[in-house]
Amino acid sequence: MDTLHSWPAEAETLLDDLVDLRRAIHREPELGLQNPKTLAKIKDALAGLPLEFREGPSTTGLVAILRGPANGRTVLLRGDMDALPLVEDTGLDFTSETTGAMHACGHDTHVAMLVGAAKLLCAARDRLPGTVMFMFQPGEEGHHGARFMLDDGIIDPLPDAAFALHIMPNAPHGIFAGRAGALLASSDLLGVTIKGAGGHASMPHDTIDPIPVACEIVGAIQTMVTRKISVFDPAVVTIARIAAGTTNNIIPETAVMEGTIRTLSANQRAHVARELKRLIPAIAEAHGCTADVVITEGFPVTVCDSRAVAFGKGVVEDVFGEDGWLTMDNPVMGAEDFAYVLEKVPGAMFWLGASHEGSDWRACCGLHSNHMILDEKVMARGAALHAALAERFLEEGFTA
């Protein structure tokens, strides 16, 4: 019997509890790989359910395992836990009580939705022909939490499929969206130190000024992107910080630049790194400076399996109707460490529009804004989709 259509109604009965959990997590945001307060709230919410818990030494991540009566497929559902280093300015009654930290990326809602899915699926345990892994993951905001949890072995043996949901506050209310292939970009850090020879600002001819060299490099990088990088396999290189000097009448010895590199394929990622390491020192040398270029690898490209996306689209349309799904034309150039899971397991991440119902979603503040707010009612839809994805995958797998 197809029970997918019952999930939204069942999830609605949990909404008040999900809102309470989300707000409790929102009040006490935690950064990085260690989120002990959030972990305690998750365990308390899952108490009494027929789940096995796994934890590892590297993070406060938790994998909760639900085993159905049949030994079939295994599916993983993931929700991230950590917050961002921001000072909240929303005016919400449950605003952050932790100085310099805020849930501005919706991870508090991701946890609540995954807890909701765990409750729904535990109640349906007797009809599940396989195993569900609920992955509560810290350290998504640049700390490689998913990679650490994989390395710790708490997701072994690997599941047969993996799914994640991510809210989007400036997207239509309640709409699920996704695409096959690259969904999100890789994200690498670019650091450059240009060294010249300092001196008096009135006598630049007696110095080797690194500041105009830094400015020339910024422009040259953009020329490189437009002339060396195919528009059909794009890259974004942004210099977001330049620091040099101490006062108005001294030419400094060094200038420091920091930026980000985003690409949509592994080949382009390597190509851009090679070009930057060739270009930047050459410009510096032409002006008598030296340049030290350091590229620190961040998250890989988030690649969604075409079978998983088609599967997810079918589930959304069956549960919420054809109007509940949107196929994205283009990737998003942000990054996501669920990419580490998708490198090893076929699966997909889907967006969930969380603008307030009836509002102009285009005017809503986006992710990583300290003004970001969202409509908590969509959490019931998210929990229902998690449960529906798990149930149908355990029953059918990918048929495409």
Side-chain angles (χ1 to χ4, degrees), residues 209-233:
D209 189 347
I211 294 177
V213 178
C215 295
E216 183 174 329
I217 288 171
V218 172
I221 288 173
Q222 303 315 311
T223 300
M224 181 207 82
V225 170
T226 63
R227 291 298 175 265
K228 292 285 188 179
I229 306 302
S230 169
V231 296
F232 303 108
D233 189 8

Side-chain angles (χ1 to χ4, degrees), residues 220 224 227-228 271-285 291 293 295:
M224 181 207 82
R227 291 298 175 265
K228 292 285 188 179
H271 175 60
V272 171
R274 287 193 301 269
E275 288 295 316
L276 290 171
K277 289 178 179 179
R278 180 189 63 81
L279 175 72
I280 294 171
I283 293 174
E285 184 179 4
V293 180
I295 296 175

Side-chain angles (χ1 to χ4, degrees), residues 142-202:
H143 298 275
H144 306 270
R147 189 189 72 199
F148 281 110
M149 291 182 72
L150 286 163
D151 290 346
D152 283 348
I154 59 175
I155 307 174
D156 291 336
L158 292 172
D160 299 295
F163 295 96
L165 292 180
H166 201 304
I167 61 98
M168 183 67 79
N170 53 341
H173 175 90
I175 294 294
F176 294 98
R179 71 187 307 272
L183 177 71
L184 290 138
S186 63
S187 175
D188 298 326
L189 306 179
L190 173 63
V192 180
T193 301
I194 303 161
K195 187 172 182 180
H200 202 290
S202 67

Side-chain angles (χ1 to χ4, degrees), residues 26-80:
H26 193 92
R27 287 190 188 97
E28 295 188 289
E30 298 176 289
L31 306 177
L33 296 169
Q34 303 300 319
N35 304 166
K37 294 179 181 178
T38 306
L39 177 61
K41 293 179 178 70
I42 293 168
K43 286 184 173 180
D44 184 61
L46 298 177
L49 297 178
L51 297 166
E52 304 170 18
F53 289 167
R54 293 180 183 173
E55 298 178 63
S58 301
T59 77
T60 52
L62 174 71
V63 175
I65 301 173
L66 173 63
R67 300 188 189 277
N71 185 22
R73 301 179 183 91
T74 298
V75 62
L76 180 145
L77 305 173
R78 179 271 211 162
D80 36 7

